Amino acid sequence: MAVTVASVPGARTKLNSNQIKGFWAAWGGWCLDGMDAFIYALVLVPALTDLLPQSGIEATPGNIGYYGSILQALFLLGWGLSMVWGPVADKLGRVKALMMTILFYSVFTFMCGLVTSIWQLAILRVLCGIGLGGEQPMGGTFVAEEWPEDRRKMGAGLMHTGYYFGFFIAALANYIIGANYGWRWMFIFGGLPALLVSWIRVGVREPETWKKQAAATAHRSAIAPFAELFAPHYLRRTIVASLLFTVSIIGLWAGSIYIPAAVTQIAVREGYAAADAARMASYGAAILAVGTIIGCLIAPWLAERLGRRLAMATYYVALGVSVAIAFGSVFYQPGALQPFFVLIFFMGLGGANFAIFTLWLPEQYATSCRASAIAFISSVGRFVGVGMIFLVGSGIQRYGSLGVPVAITATAFIAGLLIVPLAHETRGKALPA
């Protein structure tokens, strides 16, 4: 890896052109990934209000919550299947795999704008999940391997902000496109990330670290990196990291993803028209994004100051407490909109726990299996998330509202706090070769 070291003692290593271009490729992909994923949350209510009757199902609030949860679960199923990109990246390269994932989710998101039934949308959400779930492990692996050691951790935190800048783009698009032209055009807009692929193809080359490893292990089969994850040296950290990521998935998908629907319902209850309620949901998404971006920016500092385990525990407490209060209490109160917005900000801060994974997971595995490890750990927990989404959806249908069922999911963070001490601490250690 070619780097230019600053001559001033204590100065940070200067980034070369491939490190800069590669970072923006990974950040841009993750940004558009976040935009793509959050589009569905923003258009959940209007899309199902149209599609359920066309599919022979009454569009009641309970049915919208129930079938919306099923679609979320199917999306998570697809995201779980995205672990297939790990061996692709370890065998063919980080940049090639990154381009494939972006193209994959862009095409199928575009097609979501053309559906005529909820069943068609369900199939496409699985396919979208396969593509979306692969982008972050590929981009995160590239940044970890290509950036110099003294800037790698900050690079991980900065890269993860891209996902939530994507929330801003989705919220802005919903404010302009969704509120005026409808949910179909939001999905069509979500197909734009495909344009990024051509820029990546001509502007970014593979990390030298991966090239050396690929040359030395060219004889290995494509599934060999997966087998390595369960060798005695890695088995415990693979299991523990997977459990922690599962806790985070429950917090994200059973908590913050319901924020637009919750804000929409509160706004309608307080007398806002449908278009204005959609704009309130966009405001909520923007607040969530601001909180999470701030949380991502402080994640590298916090991880170095407290260690990876204690930093993760801090984020879990922030997210768990804010989800419990926001959905379990404030959601049902008169005049709930403003205090709910305040708690959304803290949910955003806590949701930045994924930035800890972005810098922590690469530190636990060697180059030969790093992409497979990150892809597996960030995917396997989503299969558990599928079950949780079904449980939450059933709870919403039976309870008649999404408040209490979503609030109960905050108990997952208690389990997370018990698991964190078992994780492999890597503070002060260099990235393994």
Side-chain angles (χ1 to χ4, degrees):
M1 177 174 62
V3 296
T4 302
V5 181
S7 59
V8 180
R12 292 183 300 174
T13 304
K14 184 178 179 181
L15 298 178
N16 63 34
S17 60
N18 195 60
Q19 291 162 350
I20 295 171
K21 291 177 182 177
F23 169 80
W24 285 116
W27 187 92
W30 196 219
C31 173
L32 297 172
D33 195 333
M35 178 198 77
D36 199 300
F38 210 63
I39 280 174
Y40 173 74
L42 289 168
V43 303
L44 171 65
V45 174
L48 295 192
T49 299
D50 286 349
L51 292 174
L52 285 176
Q54 295 179 34
S55 306
I57 303 168
E58 187 179 359
T60 64
N63 281 339
I64 289 173
Y66 176 69
Y67 285 98
S69 296
I70 290 177
L71 290 177
Q72 296 279 29
L74 290 173
F75 179 71
L76 276 180
L77 174 64
W79 203 316
L81 296 173
S82 71
M83 68 176 68
V84 301
W85 297 111
V88 172
D90 281 328
K91 189 70 176 178
L92 301 181
R94 287 40 171 143
V95 177
K96 291 184 180 68
L98 179 64
M99 291 190 295
M100 292 178 191
T101 61
I102 294 173
L103 189 61
F104 202 91
Y105 73 69
S106 299
V107 170
F108 290 114
T109 299
F110 176 87
M111 292 177 64
C112 287
L114 309 177
V115 300
T116 57
S117 75
I118 191 174
W119 317 119
Q120 294 172 0
L121 183 60
I123 293 171
L124 290 173
R125 291 306 292 170
V126 175
L127 296 171
C128 287
I130 294 173
L132 283 163
E135 198 285 336
Q136 186 271 336
M138 304 307 100
T141 302
F142 176 91
V143 172
E145 293 177 350
E146 182 68 358
W147 273 40
E149 182 63 32
D150 61 338
R151 303 188 72 164
R152 173 180 57 80
K153 295 175 283 292
M154 181 55 68
L158 290 173
M159 181 202 151
H160 208 78
T161 65
Y163 193 82
Y164 302 95
F165 273 100
F167 280 25
F168 274 122
I169 297 173
L172 180 62
N174 190 54
Y175 190 91
I176 298 171
I177 299 172
N180 293 302
Y181 302 103
W183 60 270
R184 291 185 183 277
W185 283 100
M186 285 290 289
F187 280 126
I188 292 171
F189 176 76
L192 291 179
L195 300 177
L196 180 64
V197 171
S198 59
W199 183 80
I200 297 174
R201 185 173 182 273
V202 299
V204 185
R205 64 180 184 274
E206 298 288 352
E208 291 298 326
T209 304
W210 175 81
K211 289 180 181 179
K212 293 177 182 178
Q213 177 273 327
T217 59
H219 61 282
R220 295 205 314 171
S221 68
I223 64 171
F226 262 138
E228 196 173 345
L229 306 184
F230 301 97
H233 179 64
Y234 287 133
L235 179 60
R236 172 172 170 165
R237 65 185 70 174
T238 298
I239 294 173
V240 172
S242 296
L243 290 173
L244 290 176
F245 209 96
T246 299
V247 170
S248 296
I249 289 298
I250 293 171
L252 173 69
W253 289 95
S256 61
I257 289 300
Y258 279 99
I259 285 174
V263 171
T264 299
Q265 291 183 16
I266 293 171
V268 170
R269 190 176 70 209
E270 294 184 2
Y272 286 84
D276 291 331
R279 292 187 174 93
M280 290 297 105
S282 294
Y283 290 145
I287 293 171
L288 180 72
V290 169
T292 312
I293 289 169
I294 292 173
C296 289
L297 292 175
I298 66 175
W301 174 84
L302 200 64
E304 287 296 286
R305 182 86 173 180
L306 303 180
R308 280 51 168 161
R309 291 182 294 199
L310 188 53
M312 182 63 75
T314 302
Y315 282 107
Y316 278 173
V317 171
L319 183 54
V321 171
S322 56
V323 167
I325 296 174
F327 286 94
S329 176
V330 173
F331 177 80
Y332 296 99
Q333 296 174 7
L337 204 54
Q338 289 187 355
F340 198 85
F341 279 159
V342 172
L343 287 164
I344 287 174
F345 176 80
F346 287 99
M347 281 187 265
L349 283 177
N353 66 79
F354 287 96
I356 299 293
F357 285 114
T358 303
L359 67 89
W360 193 8
L361 293 181
E363 297 173 342
Q364 300 186 48
Y365 295 90
T367 305
S368 60
C369 64
R370 183 173 291 121
S372 292
I374 299 173
F376 176 80
I377 291 167
S378 63
S379 298
V380 68
R382 300 180 194 277
F383 292 116
V384 178
V386 169
M388 285 301 302
I389 292 296
F390 275 116
L391 287 175
V392 173
S394 297
I396 292 171
Q397 188 180 44
R398 292 191 178 190
Y399 199 82
S401 75
L402 59 80
V404 169
V406 173
I408 291 173
T409 65
T411 57
F413 295 105
I414 298 175
L417 292 174
L418 296 175
I419 297 169
V420 161
L422 304 176
H424 181 64
E425 180 60 69
T426 58
R427 180 172 60 166
K429 299 179 181 179
L431 192 75

